[in-house]
Amino acid sequence: MADFLKNIIGGNKPDQVPAKSGDSDFADFATAASPSPIPFEAASGSTLGGAAPTARPYTKWYNVHERYGLNDFRAEGIILAIIAIIFTLHFIGTKLNKAKSRAWIKAHASILTGEFALVGFGGTTSQTTEKLLKAKSLFEYATYATGRQNVAFMDVKLSLKKRFNPIMTLIETAASFFFDSMAAPEDSLEAVLYPFDGKEAQIVPAMPGATELRSKDSKSTFDGFVWAIVNKDRMKQLRDERYDLSITFTKDNAKLPAWLTVMSESAEITNALLTNELADAIKKAGDLFDYIIISDQPVDKPKTMDETIPRKRLYLRYRLPSSNSYDDLAPLLSYFVRISDHLASSAHFRPEVLRKIRSVRDENIKQIQKLAEDEKAEERAAERDRVKKAKRDAELNALDAKAQKKYLEKEREKELRKSTKRQTMRA
């Protein structure tokens, strides 16, 4: 009875067991213990200024030699190797060209300084052998000589292979096999000599001693003509490229080898200029010789009357030997310098020969004059048409619309009658 009353009044209640949840996914968390706080412990390396640095684990990213290997730099290595090869070839090629130019000037310095008062671009007579030659580029060298009787000055140019750029040399060599207009790379010399031809008073400045030269002006003159000795391998190319050689005829000579020919305007000129000394010098030079030309005509065909004025020049070209030995070529340059003396004394021909030479030049001059007259006639016709058109436009603008229409109709009828008349005449 007492227990019954306790239950009604609210006495002691039995412990209640929590009901199980229908979701079994969180069953483990239902009985998990609440987390307990971790006590704070100061680090042994802490300072008063702030917190101690956090310790990090050691990895290979802190050492470059552990991060990368040689295989990772393969592309860079190839690029550096190519650059090194290019710079090495450039350096070696430049040195080879310098050595070749120095070998040439050393072999010919005595000839140039013995024939001319001034050699080189320094402006002084006391210069070292190497300074007589000036580098215009990595493959072009030049020198200059003046101060000699019968010679105003002489220009010499060495054109060498582009040894500093083997790729370009290979491309030019390959192109020369397919295109005739492109020559294969080679080491060559080109010399151009400008004779006084009686113009000492115009060229030599007024200075002590110049009066003596002026008194001898008549002795340095010689007749104008075109004459050449040419390697047959170059004959066709020279005839196509040079106008002065195109007016000559070709004939072999017994004094010369079979691979050489003479291009001249007259046989008498050949007999006077082809000396035994010149023939021996060319034979000694061998197949390195290309040509020697004496000309008073321009290289390019003249198109105006001013370009037809004779200007006498002497040209020499030969290829440089690979051995840098110039014992066989030095006599050729020596004779080339002295050939102006032979011209001044012997290049005076009979009137019949000169008349034949002038006939070709006069024919060319007549063609130029005819072309000039035709151009002037075209200009005059164009000017007349312009004046006529301006007059017609002025007359047309002065009329009213009805009169303009009538004017244009008359103009069309006039043109129709002209065209009908032309057709009738053709029939």
Side-chain angles (χ1 to χ4, degrees), residues 38-79:
I38 299 174
F40 174 77
E41 293 181 1
S44 60
S46 62
T47 59
L48 295 175
T54 306
R56 295 181 180 177
Y58 171 79
T59 63
K60 63 173 61 178
W61 292 99
Y62 288 93
N63 294 321
V64 175
H65 66 279
E66 294 182 3
R67 262 189 288 170
Y68 298 102
L70 293 178
N71 292 333
D72 298 323
F73 296 96
R74 184 177 300 174
E76 289 80 356
I78 294 173
I79 294 173

Side-chain angles (χ1 to χ4, degrees), residues 25-281:
D25 294 337
F26 298 93
D28 296 336
F29 297 97
T31 59
S34 59
S36 60
I38 299 174
F40 174 77
E41 293 181 1
S44 60
S46 62
T47 59
L48 295 175
T54 306
R56 295 181 180 177
Y58 171 79
T59 63
K60 63 173 61 178
W61 292 99
Y62 288 93
N63 294 321
V64 175
H65 66 279
E66 294 182 3
R67 262 189 288 170
Y68 298 102
L70 293 178
N71 292 333
D72 298 323
F73 296 96
R74 184 177 300 174
E76 289 80 356
I78 294 173
I79 294 173
L80 291 176
I82 293 173
I83 293 174
I85 292 172
I86 291 174
F87 273 98
T88 302
L89 293 176
H90 181 87
F91 179 78
I92 294 174
T94 303
K95 287 294 183 182
L96 289 175
N97 280 354
K98 285 183 179 179
K100 201 164 192 66
S101 64
R102 288 172 183 171
W104 182 90
I105 193 62
K106 286 180 181 179
H108 297 85
S110 59
I111 297 175
L112 296 176
T113 54
E115 293 288 345
F116 294 93
L118 178 64
V119 181
F121 299 94
T124 59
T125 55
S126 58
Q127 297 186 69
T128 59
T129 303
E130 295 180 357
K131 290 186 178 179
L132 297 179
L133 201 64
K134 181 180 180 182
K136 298 176 64 177
S137 65
L138 295 177
F139 63 97
E140 288 183 340
Y141 294 82
T143 188
Y144 169 85
T146 186
R148 189 188 186 281
Q149 187 179 4
N150 298 325
V151 178
F153 56 91
M154 182 178 71
D155 292 328
V156 180
K157 184 180 73 171
L158 297 179
S159 301
L160 307 179
K161 295 178 182 178
K162 298 177 182 178
R163 293 179 172 85
F164 54 88
N165 192 345
I167 297 176
M168 182 60 67
T169 303
L170 291 174
I171 292 174
E172 292 177 352
T173 304
S176 64
F177 288 103
F178 300 99
F179 304 100
D180 295 336
S181 59
M182 295 189 65
E186 58 186 8
D187 301 322
S188 63
L189 172 138
E190 294 182 10
V192 183
L193 189 145
Y194 301 80
F196 273 124
D197 192 28
K199 298 178 182 178
E200 287 85 348
Q202 303 174 15
I203 299 174
V204 178
M207 57 185 300
T211 54
E212 297 179 3
L213 288 174
R214 293 191 181 96
S215 64
K216 300 177 182 180
D217 285 356
S218 59
K219 296 183 179 181
S220 66
T221 59
F222 59 92
D223 294 333
F225 56 88
V226 180
W227 183 83
I229 300 177
V230 180
N231 191 325
K232 289 183 179 179
D233 293 338
R234 299 255 180 189
M235 182 178 63
K236 183 180 183 302
Q237 178 185 1
L238 291 172
R239 189 178 288 276
D240 294 338
E241 293 179 352
R242 297 184 62 112
Y243 162 76
D244 51 359
L245 293 182
S246 66
I247 63 176
T248 62
F249 63 88
T250 304
K251 188 176 182 181
D252 294 344
N253 194 283
K255 294 182 180 180
L256 299 174
W259 51 274
L260 292 174
T261 187
V262 178
M263 304 180 73
S264 177
E265 293 182 278
S266 173
E268 186 172 331
I269 298 175
T270 302
N271 296 332
L273 298 184
L274 185 53
T275 61
N276 293 328
E277 185 180 0
L278 177 58
D280 293 339

Side-chain angles (χ1 to χ4, degrees), residues 264-313:
S264 177
E265 293 182 278
S266 173
E268 186 172 331
I269 298 175
T270 302
N271 296 332
L273 298 184
L274 185 53
T275 61
N276 293 328
E277 185 180 0
L278 177 58
D280 293 339
I282 295 175
K283 290 177 183 178
K284 197 173 183 180
D287 57 358
L288 295 175
F289 173 80
D290 282 334
Y291 58 77
I292 182 170
I293 301 172
I294 302 172
S295 175
D296 68 332
Q297 295 297 297
V299 175
D300 299 325
K301 186 174 182 179
K303 298 180 180 179
T304 61
M305 292 301 297
D306 293 337
E307 295 177 357
T308 60
I309 299 174
R311 295 177 176 87
K312 295 172 183 175
R313 304 284 187 269

Side-chain angles (χ1 to χ4, degrees), residues 394-408:
E395 292 177 353
L396 194 61
N397 292 332
L399 302 176
D400 56 6
K402 187 176 180 180
Q404 286 181 358
K405 185 177 180 180
K406 188 176 180 180
Y407 185 91
L408 294 173

